[in-house]
Amino acid sequence: MAAGPRRRFVKKKRQVPVAELSHDIRDGSRLALARGITLLESRAPEDRAAAQELLLGLLPESGNSIRIGITGVPGAGKSTFIESFGLMLAEAGHKVAVLAIDPSSTVTGGSILGDKTRMEELARHPNAFIRPSPSSGTLGGVHRKTRETMLLCEAAGYDVILIETVGVGQSETAVRGMADFFLLLVLTGAGDELQGVKKGIMELADGIIVHKADGDNVLAAKRTAREYKQFLRMLQPATPGWQTSVLPVSSVIPEGLEDVWETIRQFRRQLEASGGWETRRNGQLKEWFRAAIEDRLIERFFAEDGQKERVGDLEEEILRGKLTVTAALDRLFGD
């Protein structure tokens, strides 16, 4: 029996149930929220329109949280602090979303995504949601969709958003541009420590925590806090009209977590009264728009036929000393 003609397989476009997903996110479904974020992070062309439709429909429910950026020196215990702080807020009835960025490997592109294992107790709490995302090589050590992810979390009813930086390069500046309150974690020994903390980072901080203030370290932590306060008097405040706070905190005992939260609440009240809150939120939108412009321009640049090959050829000439970087740029753009 002769075989009939082979049927051509045509892949059907995946239909995203945007209306159903939007409804479930509004209802606070963590599964739906995770699916919505995955849709936002997708680079598939068919998902981009659906993601923007979802986001646009949920915009009226967003914007009601306090967005807290958290960075720290190596070994400062960011994850430990976030879990203890998040648990305190969740137990008090707040809904807490943690957006933790894991650095992507420059070799494999992979990332560890281990924040849920480092924050097991918080991950199990019904009032908490933890979303680890790879930085995917994005400049600034944050995911390219972190801002949009925040809006989905707010639409799902999360009133406290904690954004943990990877603590490398430009990450502090990038997160400062999307956070209301920026928190820096440091350790004791300010005399040496102040030399290791970049002045630029301290100028971004609205609050500084001297962490691990427990056991034999309590007195040293209090002394370090005083030294930081003296140093801050010489710096321009991160937020006009607000004096950067410095608090000794232990996430183990725990001790001082309530003071951190009250400081953040006071910060919000003060900015809302002065009009600074709206100014900061408007600034976040402008930075988001400009960052999106840069992303789109880079995408379009490399999407042009032969562009990657031209860039590769010019790189080879630069490495062989045949061209300067500026001359290569002039040739690439026809200047």
Side-chain angles (χ1 to χ4, degrees):
M1 182 176 176
R6 295 181 65 181
R7 298 179 63 183
R8 186 180 178 185
F9 175 74
V10 179
K11 184 178 180 181
K12 293 183 178 180
K13 287 188 176 181
R14 181 168 59 91
Q15 296 295 318
V16 179
V18 173
E20 179 184 342
L21 194 57
S22 177
H23 176 272
D24 291 346
I25 288 174
R26 284 190 180 94
D27 274 359
S29 165
R30 288 194 287 188
L31 178 59
L33 178 57
R35 288 175 58 205
I37 295 171
T38 298
L39 183 66
L40 284 177
E41 293 179 348
S42 172
R43 290 181 177 268
E46 61 268 23
D47 288 338
R48 179 173 288 178
Q52 293 310 305
E53 181 185 347
L54 174 68
L55 188 63
L56 186 62
L58 292 174
L59 273 180
E61 277 74 48
S62 67
N64 298 317
S65 75
I66 175 77
R67 303 164 182 172
I68 305 168
I70 300 174
T71 191
V73 300
K78 286 184 295 183
S79 295
T80 304
F81 169 77
I82 289 172
E83 178 164 51
S84 295
F85 188 58
L87 280 171
M88 181 196 73
L89 294 174
E91 288 293 329
H94 292 281
K95 292 191 69 177
V96 181
V98 179
L99 307 182
I101 311 300
D102 274 347
S104 300
S105 168
T106 55
V107 178
T108 65
S111 63
I112 301 170
L113 300 181
D115 291 277
K116 282 192 174 182
T117 60
R118 288 187 280 128
M119 305 178 195
E120 288 186 35
E121 193 174 352
L122 182 60
R124 290 194 299 266
H125 200 287
N127 282 347
F129 174 80
I130 299 177
R131 176 70 180 202
S133 296
S135 61
S136 303
T138 305
L139 288 176
V142 293
H143 193 277
R144 56 198 293 271
K145 295 296 183 180
T146 298
R147 292 175 175 88
E148 295 180 0
T149 297
M150 285 194 297
L151 298 181
L152 288 197
C153 290
E154 290 171 346
Y158 290 89
D159 60 323
V160 180
I161 312 290
L162 305 178
I163 313 157
E164 180 186 7
T165 76
V166 296
V168 293
Q170 297 171 308
S171 61
E172 291 82 12
T173 304
V175 173
R176 165 78 278 180
M178 63 181 73
D180 303 314
F181 189 94
F182 195 61
L183 199 55
L184 170 65
L185 271 64
V186 299
L187 298 170
T188 55
D192 296 328
E193 186 66 28
L194 282 171
Q195 302 301 320
V197 177
K198 291 184 289 186
K199 177 184 174 184
I201 298 176
M202 294 184 64
E203 288 179 326
L204 297 175
D206 297 304
I208 295 176
I209 287 176
V210 182
H211 203 208
K212 303 183 181 181
D214 43 58
D216 296 336
N217 206 36
V218 173
L219 292 178
K222 290 181 178 179
R223 182 174 61 252
T224 298
R226 290 193 298 269
E227 292 174 359
Y228 270 98
K229 286 178 182 178
Q230 292 173 358
F231 184 73
L232 285 167
R233 294 195 186 108
M234 299 182 287
L235 301 181
Q236 184 79 14
T239 301
W242 172 261
Q243 180 59 53
T244 301
S245 61
V246 185
L247 296 168
V249 171
S250 169
S251 297
V252 178
I253 300 178
E255 185 73 38
L257 297 176
E258 296 87 353
D259 295 333
V260 175
W261 180 236
E262 181 52 37
T263 297
I264 294 171
R265 292 177 63 205
Q266 182 184 348
F267 172 87
R268 181 171 187 170
R269 289 193 297 266
Q270 185 171 317
L271 259 66
E272 286 177 337
S274 67
W277 188 263
E278 184 178 0
T279 300
R280 175 148 291 178
R281 284 292 172 95
N282 288 340
Q284 291 172 13
L285 284 172
K286 289 178 182 178
E287 288 205 29
W288 178 6
F289 182 48
R290 289 167 185 168
I293 289 173
E294 292 179 7
D295 285 344
R296 186 63 60 88
L297 287 172
I298 292 171
E299 281 183 15
R300 288 188 175 180
F301 175 81
F302 283 105
E304 293 179 15
D305 290 341
Q307 201 69 286
K308 290 181 180 178
E309 290 75 15
R310 281 193 289 271
V311 169
D313 291 342
L314 288 170
E315 285 175 341
E316 286 296 322
E317 292 195 52
I318 291 170
L319 293 175
R320 291 201 305 267
K322 301 291 185 181
L323 277 177
T324 65
V325 170
T326 300
L329 282 172
D330 290 341
R331 186 181 296 183
L332 185 62
F333 290 102
D335 294 343

